[in-house]
Amino acid sequence: VARLCQLVEDRPIGLLIDGEARIGAAAIAAKAAKARVMGCDFIGAHLSSLGMASRHSGGLPLVAWTLRAPSDLELARNYAAAPIFEGFSPSLASGLAKPPGTPI
């Protein structure tokens, strides 16, 4: 990933962070720091890692995975994280759909 961050200039490169229960809070903080050092454009955090990733992102944008319910979309929005969806359309999330041109 570090090499890609250096070589690829025409598309965003990010580092994925697994769920907090699987890797622990310290590993999330370390991976967020590593993403910054490597020059990543974003951090792709599991929904359960969003809070910790947000605290340690150092300003890097967040992408949240994998949103399967309207409540997941609401959580991603709380952290200003762009969503990666599976199994439902965000337009079906009553009251949560944003007008065109907004980030999420």
Side-chain angles (χ1 to χ4, degrees):
V1 172
R3 184 112 168 101
L4 284 174
C5 290
Q6 294 171 354
L7 293 176
V8 178
E9 296 179 5
D10 63 339
R11 48 192 76 121
I13 305 294
L15 185 66
L16 293 180
I17 297 179
D18 208 343
E20 187 168 357
R22 187 168 178 168
I23 65 171
I28 295 167
K31 284 186 174 272
K34 189 173 191 172
R36 291 192 319 273
V37 169
M38 289 190 304
C40 289
D41 298 298
F42 69 92
I43 294 171
H46 184 270
L47 283 171
S48 66
S49 298
L50 270 177
M52 183 66 67
S54 176
R55 285 190 288 282
H56 296 280
S57 70
L60 281 178
L62 297 173
V63 175
W65 58 276
T66 300
L67 287 68
R68 296 184 175 96
S71 59
D72 296 340
L73 177 58
E74 192 168 4
L75 177 63
R77 282 227 176 99
N78 288 340
Y79 290 101
I84 297 175
F85 293 98
E86 179 179 282
F88 90 101
S89 169
S91 65
L92 299 177
S94 178
L96 290 177
K98 296 292 251 181
T102 58
I104 61 171

